[in-house]
Amino acid sequence: PSAGVKGITVEPLEYYRRFLKENCRPDGRELGEFRTTTVNIGSISTADGSALVKLGNTTVICGVKAEFATPSTDAPAKGYIVPNVDLPPLCSSRFRTGPPGEEAQVTSQFIADVIENSQIIKKEDLCISPGKLAWVLYCDLICLDYDGNILDACTFALLAALKNVQLPEVTINEETALAEVNLKKKSYLNIRTNPVATSFAVFDDTLLIVDPTGEEEHLATGTLTVVMNEHGKLCCLHKPGGSGLTGAKLQDCMSRAVTRQKEVKKLMDEVIKSMNQK
Amino acid sequence: MEVVMRADAKVRVESGTESSPRGPGCSLRHFACEQNLLSRPDGSASFLQGDTSVLAGVYGPAEVKVSKEIFNKATLEVILRPKIGLPGVAEKSQERLIRNTCEAVVLGALHPRTSITVVLQVVSDAGSLLACCLNAACMALVDAGVPMRALFCGVTCALDSDGNLLLDPTAKQEKKARAVLTFALDSVEQKLLMSTTKGLYSDAELQQCLAAAQAASQHIFRFYRESLQRRYSKS
């Protein structure tokens, strides 16, 4: 049995329940097991920072471009981080060309909330000259293959790409009042925390499975995403409706999220170490 | 001329004897609800929480476009219009939260290949907006006679920098808070239907807020019951 079985099952839910009874899933995973996660950093040379994340079949690429902007008058010492998630028709047959659909908008809002809540980068660090010049980081996330659990993949891709971003040194020339960019002197961003998202799907109002595939998301009665950082603090508990959960079930999810956070952080550190060694 | 039934139910919930683990400052604001105030939608409700006010209208079960129809249940749609400006990405995100919450309680299987549309208009925003939208949506669905498995309500909790819990915060309290958590709970077992949070908080604080929200939801459900009893006892 292959992991990406395509074909029309007559009774998909019944087929699925048979696996769940044995505490496993059609692709051979256990209920609490994640798919193979791979990350590739720095693949886009034209971007200031980039990362490609694969969670099983789900593939998301994130590119970060830094540009200049004037800070707003009510926050003169703050820069901007602008995330945008794009779900093109390439990744799945359910998306059409045209303006971003609901799924893309909801995911963009989720990523914006994660950035805001986790304080992954302090906006004050992006300011070059208060009131006059600041950096704006455009983070574009594009899904290349949609097989469920897009939120986890996007959060991971964003984190990895931001860790890869190198900004040149900028000084304001006092005589001409123009900005001078020194491309030879680049420094990494100050990433303060490592938020990691863990998504669950709820089945038949009782069973919780981790890292749902596209099929599983479709059959699930609810979803839940927990974003946790390394200090055990939650930046986001995203449960958009679906079956009800008790406090005890939530607690189980938290413990799984903590383990996942450690796994992802380890993977990320390994990749960055291997990048720096080159 | 049709006589339009109006039901005004105002319940004042005071502080002090609130069933919340922390001391004073844990009460819900004054809330009020009015049903059947609009003539065109099948059901409508206006929910007030302190100074926050949301107007909801429900159309359905009605005809659905072939592209959107689901063969075995009703298609639920939620439209949220902010008070000023055009709806943006944030509104889309909130619409999805409200829609998924409604989908969990509405018995869509009784009305296959139909559409149920919930339209929410923000009249004034003074904090706890999403919770107010959820309450208004629930009351409007009841007013429209849409079959539901349970009622649901929205409760907002704010955690300030000292770790104090504040229920139903005002806009000012929300801004100063370290974290703001909004929950939707069902009326049968107070299970968590929907949750969305802002800010950083710990696992233990989450459980605390959830417990406080579950206690507060009892008040809201009691208010729903009294409000509906008052309305139907008049006829």
Side-chain angles (χ1 to χ4, degrees):
Chain A
S2 57
V5 174
K6 280 158 178 69
I8 303 167
T9 322
V10 178
E11 276 287 320
L13 200 53
E14 268 313 308
Y15 173 72
Y16 211 72
R17 283 202 189 111
R18 265 188 251 158
F19 283 91
L20 288 179
K21 260 198 283 223
E22 309 292 323
N23 263 346
C24 74
R25 289 135 90 169
D27 54 4
R29 285 188 287 155
E30 281 176 38
L31 300 187
E33 203 182 319
F34 260 84
R35 289 174 283 184
T36 330
T37 315
T38 52
V39 57
N40 188 317
I41 293 191
S43 36
I44 307 178
S45 55
T46 47
D48 295 302
S50 60
L52 172 77
V53 166
K54 273 172 87 78
L55 220 68
N57 282 335
T58 303
T59 314
V60 172
I61 187 158
C62 175
V64 182
K65 295 258 333 166
E67 287 176 17
F68 286 140
T70 11
S72 66
T73 39
D74 50 332
K78 286 191 177 176
Y80 306 92
I81 308 175
V82 182
N84 183 40
V85 176
D86 188 19
L87 299 172
L90 168 72
C91 65
S92 167
S93 56
R94 56 158 129 164
F95 303 121
R96 298 276 139 88
T97 48
E102 197 205 355
E103 184 84 33
Q105 291 192 43
V106 168
T107 316
S108 294
Q109 185 62 33
F110 175 80
I111 298 291
D113 288 340
V114 168
I115 295 174
E116 181 67 41
N117 293 337
S118 63
Q119 293 282 295
I120 185 173
I121 295 179
K122 266 217 141 64
K123 295 212 178 110
E124 284 81 0
D125 293 346
L126 295 174
C127 181
I128 303 166
S129 165
K132 297 208 201 87
L133 202 64
W135 284 113
V136 50
L137 295 176
Y138 289 111
C139 310
D140 294 303
L141 292 122
I142 300 170
C143 177
L144 300 173
D145 195 345
Y146 190 104
D147 193 21
N149 205 1
I150 190 90
L151 296 176
D152 286 11
C154 284
T155 323
F156 192 0
L158 179 74
L159 182 63
L162 285 174
K163 286 204 161 175
N164 181 234
V165 169
Q166 285 185 301
L167 292 180
E169 194 194 8
V170 182
T171 44
I172 308 264
N173 190 324
E174 273 157 31
E175 297 161 348
T176 60
L178 286 172
E180 281 171 12
V181 181
N182 185 355
L183 286 167
K184 297 212 182 64
K185 217 170 157 204
K186 287 195 174 187
S187 58
Y188 285 100
L189 287 172
N190 181 7
I191 309 282
R192 283 150 196 273
T193 60
N194 294 292
V196 171
T198 313
S199 291
F200 303 83
V202 187
F203 264 89
D204 288 339
D205 300 339
T206 44
L207 223 58
L208 275 162
I209 58 167
V210 144
D211 190 15
T213 63
E215 270 284 321
E216 291 168 356
E217 271 183 358
H218 188 69
L219 298 170
T221 50
T223 56
L224 167 70
T225 305
V226 178
V227 182
M228 207 175 255
N229 69 9
E230 63 268 29
H231 308 295
K233 293 270 182 185
L234 287 125
C235 349
C236 184
L237 178 67
H238 186 245
K239 184 183 189 304
S243 347
L245 286 179
T246 56
K249 280 245 147 59
L250 271 182
Q251 203 54 43
D252 297 335
C253 298
M254 296 303 154
S255 14
R256 186 67 186 88
V258 169
T259 340
R260 175 68 180 167
Q261 205 275 339
K262 295 202 182 94
E263 289 167 14
V264 167
K265 176 119 192 342
K266 210 171 87 166
L267 176 61
M268 183 101 75
D269 290 341
E270 276 172 22
V271 175
I272 294 192
K273 208 165 68 171
S274 66
M275 276 281 296
N276 291 339
Q277 276 168 2
K278 270 189 234 162
Chain B
M1 276 290 272
E2 240 180 73
V3 175
V4 175
M5 281 294 294
R6 273 166 180 263
D8 257 0
K10 292 193 200 294
V11 170
R12 187 159 209 107
V13 182
E14 289 299 309
S15 67
T17 51
E18 277 300 311
S19 43
S20 191
R22 303 268 178 165
C26 282
S27 62
L28 299 170
R29 291 179 286 179
H30 167 218
F31 47 91
C33 171
E34 205 178 321
Q35 287 187 308
N36 208 5
L37 53 158
L38 300 172
S39 58
R40 298 223 77 94
D42 296 320
S44 54
S46 159
F47 206 89
L48 259 95
Q49 268 178 234
D51 284 324
T52 308
S53 169
V54 174
L55 185 59
V58 169
Y59 291 90
E63 201 173 319
V64 66
K65 265 197 251 189
V66 186
S67 57
K68 286 198 213 157
E69 77 176 7
I70 306 175
F71 75 99
N72 60 343
K73 52 185 184 151
T75 311
L76 222 89
E77 213 180 304
V78 174
I79 300 169
L80 175 64
R81 311 229 90 198
K83 184 171 157 207
I84 20 178
L86 288 165
V89 185
E91 276 73 35
K92 256 288 179 302
S93 176
Q94 293 191 316
E95 281 173 10
R96 164 167 286 197
L97 294 173
I98 300 171
R99 192 184 75 233
N100 284 18
T101 313
C102 294
E103 275 176 2
V105 287
V106 164
L107 296 169
L110 291 178
H111 297 283
R113 294 195 316 279
T114 62
S115 86
I116 300 175
T117 312
V118 182
V119 184
L120 296 154
Q121 172 67 58
V122 177
V123 173
S124 71
D125 181 6
S128 306
L129 183 65
L130 186 58
C132 195
C133 290
L134 284 162
N135 295 334
C138 183
M139 286 271 94
L141 284 165
V142 168
D143 190 44
V146 173
M148 295 200 278
R149 185 158 45 81
L151 297 178
F152 59 91
C153 76
V155 186
T156 317
C157 288
L159 285 164
D160 69 8
S161 38
D162 303 323
N164 292 328
L165 219 149
L166 212 65
L167 283 176
D168 201 16
T170 60
K172 220 163 140 189
Q173 287 167 338
E174 271 184 2
K175 238 194 191 151
K176 280 196 296 186
R178 165 170 54 100
V180 178
L181 298 90
T182 306
F183 302 112
L185 303 162
D186 83 6
S187 61
V188 181
E189 283 168 35
Q190 282 79 53
K191 277 198 185 163
L192 180 67
L193 287 175
M194 185 279 287
S195 123
T196 182
T197 67
K198 229 167 68 150
L200 279 170
Y201 49 96
S202 75
D203 199 1
E205 285 170 339
L206 168 69
Q207 295 293 346
Q208 223 174 21
C209 289
L210 191 54
Q214 284 170 330
S217 69
Q218 302 282 29
H219 290 281
I220 304 182
F221 289 130
R222 197 173 54 214
F223 169 64
Y224 282 178
R225 182 171 279 267
E226 284 171 9
S227 160
L228 289 167
Q229 269 176 343
R230 216 175 293 201
R231 179 177 171 206
Y232 288 108
S233 68
K234 273 193 199 159
S235 61

